[in-house]
Amino acid sequence: MTETTSAPDIAAGRLSKDALDQNFCDLHPLLDPHEAQVEADRCYFCYDAPCMNACPTGIDIPQFIRQISTGNPTGSAKTIFEQNILGGMCARVCPTETLCEQACVRNDAEGKPVKIGELQRYATDTYMHRGLPQPFSRAAATGKKIAVVGAGPAGLSCAHRLAAHGHDVVVYEAREKPGGLNEFGIAAYKATEDFAQREINWLMDIGGIELRLGQMLGRDITVDGLRQEYDAVFIGIGLPAASKLSIPGADLPGVESAIDFIARLRQSKDLSGLPIGQDVVVIGGGMTAVDAAVQSKLLGARTVSLVYRRGREQMAASRYEQDLAASHGVHLVFNARPAEIRGDNAAEAIVFEYTRQEGSNLVPTGETLEIAADQVFVAIGQWMDAETEDLELDGTTLARFDGNKSSVSNVWVGGDCAHGGEDLTVTAVEDGKIAAESIHRALSA
């Protein structure tokens, strides 16, 4: 993780602890039973369930909502967990506004979908708050042993499903904590009270899963070595390395990756000690960029600008996330790409070139914009940065075939490191589930 920069206008303690606690409280507090009942009653329980078709993990949404409406939230949670064992986190971080809720027929009737994400959280949180045991038990031991590389959503989903089938699983994780994107890569206000780790501990209760931390692929373990030791291998290492700017001034103090900033914030025990600039600029158009921009404002930055090189409609972050940023005072700038970061000994300003779209190409207009910036967070993409030996690539990510098989026998892949990964917890969970079922079929043949 990148160390905190020492630029002169980057300082801690811009807000009081009470103000920070308020700023970083739960974005969507848990529905109470009455609120959940009222919201569940809005569901039409459509026979063709367009919401279910829009869910990457295929959760039976009408069924779990019906169970809430009949006063059975624990049964509802089991329905969710059958398809998505990380349903609690997905209820917090999934862009439901572009998935299940966008497909909800209530949009046509009222212009307002059923709050599927909040109902999912109500069910899963109710189950976990009641201290109920893991709803799945292990099948008879198969004697097979599988290595899972990466303890993010894809790896954890794969490990849990394999353990349920009776296989023994060893999960290797490069970081000091498991969780991947859920632990290190999302805004703190989306998953409060250490939820990511509590969910992992709950998931691990199924048994049959061993976790080995500080084990990096290419440094401590290799694909070939794992293939020799285990009956199957799943690779779900995500995209841990951040892409860098290649413009003058990109190496000045005050410039760092947004993912490093978010990870540092998520692991901070005292946000009043976390330095932030007076004038912050975030470069990028995805969820990471929005999370970095909003949290900069919540930490007490005077101005925060989020600058994206294309138009609003091309942003990977949903319109809901864009509006969330704007509601917190983040200034959104579109059609501008960075040209130079200026400063004598640290970042002081960024010059952007305005752009226009010509087909699939961006063309500079000749106009420029300069924004004051003592701290710059770069969120322009991530890459794999791992030694994957003979595994075939499809572009810059791992090629995958039916059942998420890789190009090498007995090796499966999934999540963001696999071709077509979408930088979403829910799709990573589905990748892990698909791979686990494919592995189980192969080992049972």
Side-chain angles (χ1 to χ4, degrees):
M1 188 182 302
T2 302
E3 293 297 322
T4 304
T5 55
S6 57
D9 290 325
I10 299 176
R14 297 202 182 277
L15 298 177
S16 68
K17 185 178 184 305
D18 287 345
L20 289 169
D21 288 344
Q22 180 64 34
N23 284 351
F24 284 89
C25 66
D26 207 327
L27 180 62
H28 295 297
L30 183 66
L31 297 174
D32 66 31
H34 176 71
E35 291 171 326
Q37 183 75 50
V38 170
E39 192 61 31
D41 286 343
R42 296 184 61 236
C43 182
Y44 288 139
F45 309 113
C46 307
Y47 73 93
D48 55 349
C51 55
M52 181 176 172
N53 295 330
C55 174
T57 56
I59 293 172
D60 190 337
I61 294 171
Q63 172 68 6
F64 94 67
I65 295 179
R66 189 184 300 276
Q67 287 169 303
I68 291 174
S69 71
T70 58
N72 184 15
T74 57
S76 174
K78 289 179 181 179
T79 297
I80 294 163
F81 292 139
E82 284 172 1
Q83 298 301 323
N84 185 344
I85 195 60
L86 296 178
M89 181 60 80
C90 285
R92 288 163 164 81
V93 304
C94 273
T96 53
E97 64 276 4
T98 62
L99 296 172
C100 55
E101 291 179 13
Q102 186 178 61
C104 179
V105 298
R106 277 283 185 182
N107 285 308
D108 294 330
E110 304 175 356
K112 183 179 179 182
V114 174
K115 296 177 181 178
I116 298 171
E118 292 190 45
L119 288 173
Q120 180 169 317
R121 178 176 171 184
Y122 171 75
T124 53
D125 275 28
T126 297
Y127 191 100
M128 295 178 70
H129 287 165
R130 290 181 179 177
L132 296 172
Q134 169 75 226
F136 305 99
S137 57
R138 280 167 56 76
T142 64
K144 302 294 186 180
K145 196 172 182 180
I146 298 99
V148 170
V149 184
L156 292 170
S157 171
C158 183
H160 183 273
R161 184 60 66 107
L162 289 169
H165 281 307
H167 306 300
D168 291 322
V169 184
V170 177
V171 180
Y172 294 88
E173 168 56 42
R175 291 185 184 260
E176 69 277 10
K177 292 172 70 175
L181 175 68
N182 290 351
E183 174 61 38
F184 295 96
I186 61 171
Y189 52 78
K190 293 180 179 177
T192 60
E193 299 178 339
D194 204 26
F195 181 79
Q197 293 305 305
R198 290 192 290 113
E199 186 178 50
I200 292 168
N201 293 337
W202 174 84
L203 177 152
M204 296 278 287
D205 282 346
I206 193 172
I209 304 173
E210 178 187 347
L211 184 60
R212 299 183 185 177
L213 301 174
Q215 300 292 300
M216 181 180 291
L217 188 65
R219 183 191 68 192
D220 307 292
I221 53 175
T222 64
V223 174
D224 187 57
L226 294 174
R227 290 181 67 213
Q228 295 182 41
E229 185 177 354
Y230 294 89
D231 297 293
V233 179
F234 174 77
I235 307 293
I237 56 176
L239 300 175
S243 299
K244 298 180 179 180
L245 292 172
S246 56
I247 60 174
D251 58 349
L252 283 169
V255 182
E256 67 172 309
S257 76
I259 60 170
D260 283 349
F261 165 64
I262 292 172
R264 187 166 65 248
L265 189 155
R266 283 293 303 272
Q267 301 309 304
S268 175
K269 302 300 182 184
D270 180 8
L271 292 180
S272 65
L274 189 67
I276 195 70
Q278 283 278 36
D279 300 303
V280 175
V281 173
V282 181
I283 301 172
M287 302 283 273
T288 299
V290 171
D291 284 355
V294 172
Q295 291 185 115
S296 296
K297 197 66 177 174
L298 296 179
L299 284 170
R302 177 176 57 197
T303 68
V304 178
S305 301
L306 192 160
V307 187
Y308 178 53
R309 62 197 176 106
R310 299 184 186 273
R312 179 187 289 274
E313 298 305 318
Q314 284 75 49
M315 279 190 74
S318 68
R319 185 57 183 263
Y320 168 82
E321 291 286 338
Q322 296 174 39
D323 291 345
L324 177 69
S327 72
H328 282 88
V330 175
H331 180 48
L332 302 177
V333 180
F334 301 101
N335 294 110
R337 65 185 182 191
E340 178 187 3
I341 301 175
R342 292 177 175 172
D344 293 329
N345 300 307
E348 296 176 10
I350 309 182
V351 177
F352 291 90
E353 298 175 324
Y354 280 113
T355 65
R356 68 174 183 270
Q357 195 88 23
E358 289 189 0
S360 60
N361 298 321
L362 280 180
V363 178
T365 67
E367 297 178 284
T368 61
L369 167 71
E370 183 169 329
I371 303 176
D374 47 54
Q375 193 166 32
V376 180
F377 295 127
V378 181
I380 58 173
Q382 294 168 228
W383 54 289
M384 198 158 44
D385 189 27
E387 177 52 62
T388 54
E389 300 164 58
D390 296 328
L391 295 181
E392 180 183 333
L393 295 178
D394 189 340
T396 59
T397 49
L398 297 173
R400 58 168 138 186
F401 305 94
D402 289 346
N404 282 343
K405 293 179 182 177
S406 78
S407 59
V408 174
S409 63
N410 287 347
V411 179
W412 283 255
V413 298
D416 291 347
C417 68
H419 184 69
E422 297 182 17
D423 191 27
L424 294 175
T425 294
V426 66
T427 53
V429 168
E430 182 66 6
D431 278 354
K433 187 173 72 177
I434 290 170
E437 293 296 347
S438 179
I439 292 169
H440 178 62
R441 288 193 298 271
L443 297 183
S444 301

